[in-house]
């Protein structure tokens, strides 16, 4: 019905940009990403100032296997030029003196800007940093664009020295608030995702501006000077050329994970009772591209008794389920070997679903992040494929810093072989299941104090570099 309404609007007014934009979102919800992006592009062509369409088009490019780091960079740079064309960019405020008159270092005023201080996948990585910050070193300001607050919002509010609700404020007003707060370092946590106030950073309200975590590509904004990453997700070389930001690579990885307090205990290996391997992916179904389905079908064909469990919000739609089943059947896999489940609410403890999973399969070229950590926390190994851009190398980053390089494939054939090898040794798989949580807990990926300290050192260095 929504698609029909949009198409009627376009027929009546072909230059109605909002109708093209809305139709793009409908196509996404129908698991038709290849039809969504042209609609977003058309909206931008009709109205180059239509920021929601730009953000949707750029974000959707990350799902496309045909895109490269270079083409993604060029598209983001085009958006930035359009945003600032004819608009004078204010000079950044000067860096405040880094020391008190006594000579001791003063606290760094860090502002975190996000619409996701709530129950959201990013919260699992933001909470360790907020909890780990040394309050003698960093003064935390949270600029919250949250649309619907919850108990996680309350947690972030209680772990911030200064809470600013910026939802509904104009970008200029937000920038003026940040300037008046005297922020030293302003951190974007959302990039081109939904409800983000990224345009605020173009107004340069802080002397040092940084991107981290919430968006797996360059922002395209030259006013954001730095981006936090690591040398696996962004190897030195090409990655540096295709970011408007200077890449700052963190030792130990650019993630630190905090598991939910109500995460269930690790269960026994399902295959031991079932007599067959259950593979699964709980990633956004939009990440399940044709090449992913072809690869997963190769695994299922190599292990004829195995099953595949998929879970995601889009699977509530009968049309999406039918298209998924049809795609697997065209690859030679019967739909009877698939189990397709809708999203599970937080109140129903979604991590419990990993009690039915033996091996998790990562998506590509847009890897999972939170889903990968959740699987590992529940004792489930993850097979990933190392790609050629940041979003396609996050899985490799996580598994490298966990010490599991054998689960990182370099091409689809290797991906199939790695999954089959893992599934062929049930005793080893059972051992992994009962040791993974401890391995993750002891790694740099769960060391909140150490991670926060590394970030704070980076902040201090960036300020000193800017101060000259």
């Amino acid at each position: 019905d929504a698609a029909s309404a949009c198409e009627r609007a376009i027929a009546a007014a072909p230059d109605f940009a909002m109708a093209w934009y809305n139709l793009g979102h409908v196509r996404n919800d129908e698991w038709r990403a290849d039809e969504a992006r042209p609609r977003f592009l058309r909206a931008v062509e009709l109205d180059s100032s239509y920021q929601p369409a730009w953000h949707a088009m750029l974000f959707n490019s990350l799902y496309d296997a045909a895109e490269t780091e270079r083409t993604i960079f060029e598209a983001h740079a085009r958006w930035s030029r359009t945003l600032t064309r004819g608009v004078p960019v204010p000079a950044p405020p000067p860096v405040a003196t880094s020391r008190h008159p006594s000579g001791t270092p003063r606290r760094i005023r860090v502002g975190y800007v996000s619409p996701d201080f709530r129950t959201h996948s990013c919260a699992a990585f933001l909470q360790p940093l907020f909890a780990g910050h040394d309050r003698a070193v960093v003064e935390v300001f949270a600029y919250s664009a949250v649309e619907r607050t919850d108990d996680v919002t309350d947690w972030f509010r209680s772990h911030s020295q200064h809470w600013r609700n910026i939802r509904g404020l104009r970008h200029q007003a937000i920038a003026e608030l940040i300037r008046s707060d005297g922020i030293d370092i302003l951190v974007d946590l959302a990039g081109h995702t939904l409800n983000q106030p990224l345009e605020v950073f173009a107004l340069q309200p802080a002397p040092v501006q940084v991107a981290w975590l919430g968006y797996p590509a360059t922002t395209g904004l030259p006013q954001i000077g730095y981006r936090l990453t690591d040398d696996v997700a962004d190897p030195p070389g090409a990655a540096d050329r295709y970011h408007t930001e200077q890449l700052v690579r963190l030792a130990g990885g650019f993630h630190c994970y905090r598991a939910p307090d109500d995460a269930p205990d690790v269960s026994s290996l399902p295959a031991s009772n079932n007599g067959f391997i259950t593979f699964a992916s709980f990633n956004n179904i939009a990440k399940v591209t044709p090449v992913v389905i072809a690869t997963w079908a190769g695994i299922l064909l190599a292990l004829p008794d195995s099953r595949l469990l998929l879970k995601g919000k889009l699977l509530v739609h009968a049309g999406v389920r039918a298209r998924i089943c049809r795609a697997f059947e065209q690859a030679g896999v019967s739909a009877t070997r698939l189990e397709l489940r809708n999203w599970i609410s937080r109140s129903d403890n979604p991590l419990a679903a990993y009690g039915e999973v033996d091996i998790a399969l990562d998506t590509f070229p847009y890897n999972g992040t939170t889903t990968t950590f959740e699987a590992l926390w529940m004792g489930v190994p993850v097979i990933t494929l190392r790609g050629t851009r940041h979003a396609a190398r996050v899985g490799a980053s996580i598994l490298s810093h966990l010490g599991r390089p054998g689960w990182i494939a370099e091409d689809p054939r290797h991906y199939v072989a790695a999954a089959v090898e893992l599934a062929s040794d049930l005793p080893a798989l059972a051992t992994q299941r009962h040791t993974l949580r401890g391995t993750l807990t002891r790694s740099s990926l769960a060391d909140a104090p150490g991670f926060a300290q590394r970030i704070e050192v980076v902040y201090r260095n960036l300020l000193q570099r800017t101060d000259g």
Side-chain angles (χ1 to χ4, degrees), residues 95 184-189 201 204 206-213 217-229 243-249 458-468:
V95 177
D184 299 304
I185 295 178
L186 191 66
V187 184
D188 164 54
L189 298 170
F201 287 78
Q204 195 77 63
V208 177
Q209 300 191 140
V210 177
W212 172 60
L213 184 64
T218 182
T219 62
L221 269 182
Q223 291 83 10
I224 296 181
Y226 305 94
R227 182 163 175 269
L228 305 183
T229 182
H243 283 79
T244 52
E245 308 88 357
Q246 181 177 334
L247 298 180
V248 178
R249 296 174 173 90
V458 166
Y459 287 167
R460 183 73 69 185
N461 290 340
L462 294 183
L463 273 180
Q464 291 173 348
R465 185 185 307 177
T466 304
D467 197 23

Side-chain angles (χ1 to χ4, degrees), residues 80-94:
S80 178
R81 290 194 297 271
T82 302
L83 178 69
T84 57
R85 185 179 298 147
V87 179
V89 177

Side-chain angles (χ1 to χ4, degrees), residues 300 306-310 321 324-329 333-340:
L300 296 174
S306 61
R307 303 287 189 273
L308 176 63
L309 169 60
L310 301 179
R321 295 196 301 272
I324 292 276
C325 290
R326 193 157 53 244
F328 273 97
E329 287 174 339
V333 175
S334 170
T336 60
R337 298 177 63 188
L338 307 177
E339 184 172 353
L340 307 180

Side-chain angles (χ1 to χ4, degrees), residues 1 20 30 37 65 90 115 121 125 149 175 193 227 241 248 268 273-274 314-315 393 395 401 419 426:
D1 289 345
W20 287 98
E30 294 177 316
R37 282 192 65 205
S121 56
F125 308 100
T149 62
T193 60
R227 182 163 175 269
R241 293 194 295 273
V248 178
S268 60
N273 299 320
N274 295 335
L314 295 187
L315 294 175
R393 291 189 290 249
H401 292 103
L426 293 189

